[in-house]
Amino acid sequence: MASKPVSAPHRRKILRVIFISLLLDLISFTFILPLFPRLLEFYRSREAADASPHSLLNRMLLGLNAYKQSFSRTISDRYDVVLLGGALGSLFSMLQAIASPFIGSLSDRYGRRTALLWSMAGNIASVALWLAATDFRTFLASRVVGGLSEGNVQLATAMAADISNAEQRASTMAMVGACFSIAFTFGPALGAALATVETVAANPFATAAGVSLLLILIETLYLYLYLPETLPSYRLSEPSDDSISTSTTRAKATRTNSYLLLNTTHFIFILFFSGMEFSLPFMTYDLFAYTSSQTGKLLGFMGLLASILQGGVTRRLNPLLAIQIGVTACAASLFLLGRLTTEAGLWVAAGLLAITTSTVVTGLNTLSSFEAAEAERGGKLGNHRSWGQAGRALGPLLFCSLYWWAGREAAYGIGAAGMLGVSGLVFGALKAPPVTSESQ
């Protein structure tokens, strides 16, 4: 059965709601990223003052120290908190890998709007726990709740696919990707600035948490008031325009790439990319004695360049071509990072990584959206995200272990070889859907 066409004005309205809400969500999400070291130092000093050697936090730190001591080279204690932050990030990603398929399937059954509003309820609970977190257990609970309930990104992707025809799909997915780049450019800096404003003595980060909660509440109210249902089987009364139809007008999607191939490519790419991404602060400190501020500027440059590329270039590219450009740039960057001797080379590598950030995941999401019929799109995109999040959970642990065991050159060399393997899949196995091949 054909899905009902979506009028151009109605589509623009929905895209505006998706863009604004996702930007609010991601800015709120990124507040905490630069605060992890200070947050964990705060909880560690607080539990040390309370003389609780058997606390959850101290047990986790003992485990990380045992992990560090398993390497032949000495690893500075300054990395303890960074490693703990990485462990919490891996926990969040693994919970996302578990939850994403369920959230997507629920959106197929009950509608995108309903699933998203329930996801927002979990996000509100997560940030509220952070606001109240005067101890590490409460903070950890906030991360667990957030990991299990965060569904905004995958649902935004599904909604964007619901209202876009084949020719519009790549530019729409690039808009979702641009939200990431913009948020990661400005969100961490804003979170760091808010953390300097102390309003609650028992929780020095209450100001950042409070503003984050305010943004989530505004987003939830905005979605409740302005987001219509986009799931084709639920669209009953919105205006239509026969000239603009949704991308899946048949009961079944025409398959070009198997989901196993797409998901495997996503997993392997994120495995190597996230590991490299997490290791950058270690590498810049070891090689150039970079401070956190200098590393932040480097990451900010990457985010800004990626957002410009997504807005001006990626949205015009065939999704397969975008992926091919991105994995090639990533392999070149990893090769360069393993042989760096100058800061100029570091910034060139960062530029290549910005190209990767602006292309690969956006392109894979676009290809994945083409393979799903409208009745299964949420679940299929949820599974696709799940594979990526599993890679993000494992990548930092594996890559940093390799970095400390074998050294920088070997770690980034193996990373570059792994990315060449991904390139083999991208150039040799992935195919562009016929409609994009013809339109491009």
Side-chain angles (χ1 to χ4, degrees), residues 384-434:
H384 184 69
R385 178 169 172 78
S386 176
W387 282 64
Q389 291 298 97
R392 192 171 293 280
L394 297 174
L397 175 65
L398 296 176
F399 199 90
C400 286
S401 297
L402 185 61
Y403 186 98
W404 286 320
W405 174 63
R408 174 175 64 95
E409 290 188 12
Y412 286 109
I414 291 173
M419 200 55 62
L420 288 176
V422 175
S423 299
L425 289 175
V426 169
F427 283 92
L430 284 182
K431 297 179 178 63

Side-chain angles (χ1 to χ4, degrees), residues 103-104 107 112 115-117 119 151-160 378:
I103 293 172
S107 79
R112 314 284 189 234
L116 183 53
L117 289 174
S119 175
N152 303 57
V153 174
Q154 72 182 76
L155 292 176
T157 303
M159 289 187 292

Side-chain angles (χ1 to χ4, degrees), residues 13 28 38 51 117 131 154 157 186 267 357 375 412 420 426 428:
K13 175 185 174 182
S28 172
R38 290 175 56 199
L117 289 174
L131 180 61
Q154 72 182 76
T157 303
F186 300 106
F267 171 78
T357 301
Y412 286 109
L420 288 176
V426 169

Side-chain angles (χ1 to χ4, degrees), residues 175-427:
M175 181 204 73
V176 173
C179 288
F180 268 92
S181 299
I182 294 169
F184 277 79
T185 300
F186 300 106
L190 184 55
L194 289 169
T196 63
V197 181
E198 186 171 324
T199 54
V200 180
N203 182 0
F205 307 95
T207 303
V211 174
S212 179
L213 180 59
L214 177 62
L215 291 178
I216 292 294
L217 290 169
I218 292 171
E219 179 193 358
T220 304
L221 180 61
Y222 180 63
L223 289 169
Y224 180 78
L225 293 175
Y226 297 107
L227 180 68
E229 182 53 64
T230 66
L231 186 63
S233 60
Y234 276 71
R235 292 202 305 263
L236 301 175
S237 60
E238 75 269 18
S240 65
D241 181 346
D242 290 340
S243 66
I244 300 179
S245 61
T246 54
S247 59
T248 49
T249 58
R250 291 160 291 179
K252 293 184 179 180
T254 301
R255 292 289 166 84
T256 303
N257 299 295
S258 73
Y259 264 101
L260 179 61
L261 174 61
L262 287 167
N263 292 339
T264 300
T265 303
H266 195 199
F267 171 78
I268 300 174
F269 167 75
I270 293 293
L271 182 75
F272 285 104
F273 183 79
S274 65
M276 174 279 305
E277 193 176 40
F278 186 72
S279 73
L280 269 179
F282 301 106
M283 190 271 291
T284 56
Y285 175 78
D286 283 343
L287 204 58
F288 303 114
Y290 264 30
T291 63
S292 297
S293 174
Q294 289 173 305
T295 301
K297 289 178 182 177
L298 182 72
L299 297 177
F301 161 75
M302 289 169 55
L304 181 60
L305 180 56
S307 63
I308 293 170
L309 291 171
Q310 280 172 323
V313 179
T314 305
R315 68 187 185 88
R316 295 185 172 90
L317 293 177
N318 178 298
L320 180 58
L321 177 60
I323 298 168
Q324 291 170 341
I325 291 171
V327 295
T328 302
C330 191
S333 178
L334 284 163
F335 182 84
L336 182 58
L337 287 171
R339 290 156 179 77
L340 279 181
T341 56
T342 65
E343 286 189 64
L346 174 64
W347 285 82
V348 170
L352 291 171
L353 291 175
I355 295 173
T356 302
T357 301
S358 68
T359 52
V360 178
V361 173
T362 296
L364 286 171
N365 284 339
T366 305
L367 291 185
S368 185
S369 72
F370 276 112
E371 305 304 325
E374 60 189 28
E376 62 179 5
R377 185 176 290 141
K380 293 297 186 183
L381 289 175
N383 283 329
H384 184 69
R385 178 169 172 78
S386 176
W387 282 64
Q389 291 298 97
R392 192 171 293 280
L394 297 174
L397 175 65
L398 296 176
F399 199 90
C400 286
S401 297
L402 185 61
Y403 186 98
W404 286 320
W405 174 63
R408 174 175 64 95
E409 290 188 12
Y412 286 109
I414 291 173
M419 200 55 62
L420 288 176
V422 175
S423 299
L425 289 175
V426 169
F427 283 92

